[in-house]
Amino acid sequence: MNRVVVALRAASCPITAASARAYASHHATTSQPSHLIRRFSARSPLFSELATTDARVKGLGKEIADEYASLRDRYEVPKYPVVLAHGLLGFSELRLAGPYLPSIHYWRGIKDALTANRAEIITTSVPPTSSIEKRAAKLAEDIEAQARGRSVNIVAHSMGGLDARYMISRLKPDNVRVKSLVTVATPHHGSPFADYLIDGIPPHHLARLYELWERVTGWEPSAFAQLTTRYMKEEFNPQTPDDPEVRYLSYGAMVKHKPPLLSPFRHSHRIIEEREGPNDGLVSVESSKWGTYKGTLLGVNHLDLINWSNRVRFTMQKWMGNPPSFNAVAFYLDIGDMLAKEGL
């Protein structure tokens, strides 16, 4: 029970790996009564007010409204290590002020919660905006160094799923054996917003922007053009077949209403909705589907999926008696539980 408490603490506030370990160690022999575990209360399905003929709810597969609103008392542990693969502009751990300020984690509280539940977790760090080919090569290198020949499950957010697919299908590293790939809001069929940006800029201006990006950030900008629907349809997907020895599973997500005025997803959501329908602000539900589609998380945006939710918004929702219906930590613990039950 103590491990689940640690996981919940990770969901509700930023914690470091050290604090999670300390908490788990302190309570290692303490039995926690169920009534002491804090929970996010569930609420009614998000789409109860929509007609079943509403175009926005078509093609969603299983609709997941509040299944991950709260933590369960127990989650089974995967047999194989779980690799967490980040998306575009991502990282494993970021330190902006050396030892003076806490580090920032891409998988905010998620790795700590999975570790507290006794799962072995491998985090990877690939070039933030490099090509899929270079990102996949670094992904393979990181897995090989940490898995040491053992089989692994990969759980990937956003572009991380494309890196993993390329690594599995095209690179086929000798010392990396992948049992399953679970993708979360990965643009398997590209992004209409990438189309909008790339096609709307004259080629000579685009070249200058790429040059400026690399000069300012130090990062190669090849990833952006590879996220277009054209590239994914005509080049990447035909040349990157699935490995029959690997289980492919996927999740998508969509926001319920138009993002607020100051949301970073307001413009991108509109563009994608006009062209592909329901989306999480960056990736459409349709583009998220690959392998066995496990369902669509309702009322969840692209950053909510990695626990980078707007804390002010969530706090206001709680005060108004309308608590959040999605807990990212509960979601990833459930993925681990699912893998365990599949013998993976």
Side-chain angles (χ1 to χ4, degrees), residues 38-44 66 69-70 318 321-326:
R38 294 166 47 210
R39 291 178 177 273
F40 290 115
S41 59
R43 64 184 185 186
S44 58
D66 52 21
S70 59
K318 290 181 185 179
N322 189 30
S325 63
F326 178 72

Side-chain angles (χ1 to χ4, degrees), residues 114-324:
L114 288 166
T115 301
N117 196 51
R118 294 179 290 112
E120 182 176 351
I121 304 300
I122 293 172
T123 54
T124 59
S125 184
V126 304
T129 59
S130 287
S131 65
I132 295 173
E133 293 83 355
K134 290 184 178 180
R135 288 168 56 99
K138 182 58 163 58
L139 177 66
E141 180 183 317
D142 286 0
I143 295 174
E144 184 174 8
Q146 298 180 66
R148 300 182 297 280
R150 292 172 295 168
S151 297
V152 298
N153 299 300
I154 301 177
V155 177
H157 175 246
S158 195
M159 191 177 178
L162 303 180
D163 304 334
R165 283 179 54 202
Y166 188 93
M167 180 195 74
I168 294 167
S169 177
R170 304 283 294 279
L171 299 184
K172 301 179 181 179
D174 292 335
N175 294 324
V176 176
R177 293 191 290 272
V178 180
K179 290 292 186 179
S180 69
L181 170 60
V182 182
T183 59
V184 180
T186 289
H188 292 289
H189 307 283
S191 170
F193 190 60
D195 297 345
Y196 172 81
L197 293 176
I198 299 296
D199 295 343
I201 303 174
H204 62 286
H205 288 321
L206 189 60
R208 291 177 183 173
L209 285 174
Y210 283 159
E211 182 182 350
L212 178 63
W213 173 269
E214 189 162 10
R215 188 164 65 246
V216 172
T217 67
W219 300 335
E220 177 195 351
S222 302
F224 301 115
Q226 291 184 323
L227 294 174
T228 62
T229 57
R230 180 172 53 256
Y231 178 81
M232 294 303 297
K233 178 181 179 180
E234 297 178 2
E235 297 188 47
F236 185 83
N237 286 336
Q239 298 171 15
T240 313
D242 287 349
D243 185 331
E245 300 297 318
V246 177
R247 288 282 309 277
Y248 292 82
L249 307 102
S250 58
Y251 291 87
M254 66 171 291
V255 298
K256 181 182 178 185
H257 301 297
K258 179 192 299 184
L261 184 61
L262 298 180
S263 169
F265 302 126
R266 186 175 176 87
H267 186 53
S268 57
H269 175 268
R270 179 181 62 80
I271 296 297
I272 297 171
E273 186 173 55
E274 289 173 352
R275 303 186 186 189
E276 289 189 352
N279 66 89
D280 66 2
L282 282 182
V283 180
S284 73
V285 169
E286 282 305 307
S287 192
S288 299
K289 296 177 180 179
W290 197 264
T292 300
Y293 189 62
K294 300 293 290 182
T296 301
L297 299 158
L298 306 181
V300 180
N301 70 38
H302 202 69
L303 290 180
D304 290 337
L305 290 167
I306 51 171
N307 209 23
W308 280 60
S309 302
N310 186 321
R311 301 300 173 185
V312 174
R313 171 167 57 88
F314 274 22
T315 300
M316 291 296 293
Q317 286 179 321
K318 290 181 185 179
W319 286 350
M320 297 174 68
N322 189 30

Side-chain angles (χ1 to χ4, degrees), residues 76-78 82 114 331-341:
E76 293 189 24
V77 182
V82 174
L114 288 166
F331 173 57
Y332 287 95
L333 283 169
D334 190 81
I335 288 177
D337 182 81
M338 172 189 67
L339 293 172
K341 290 174 178 174

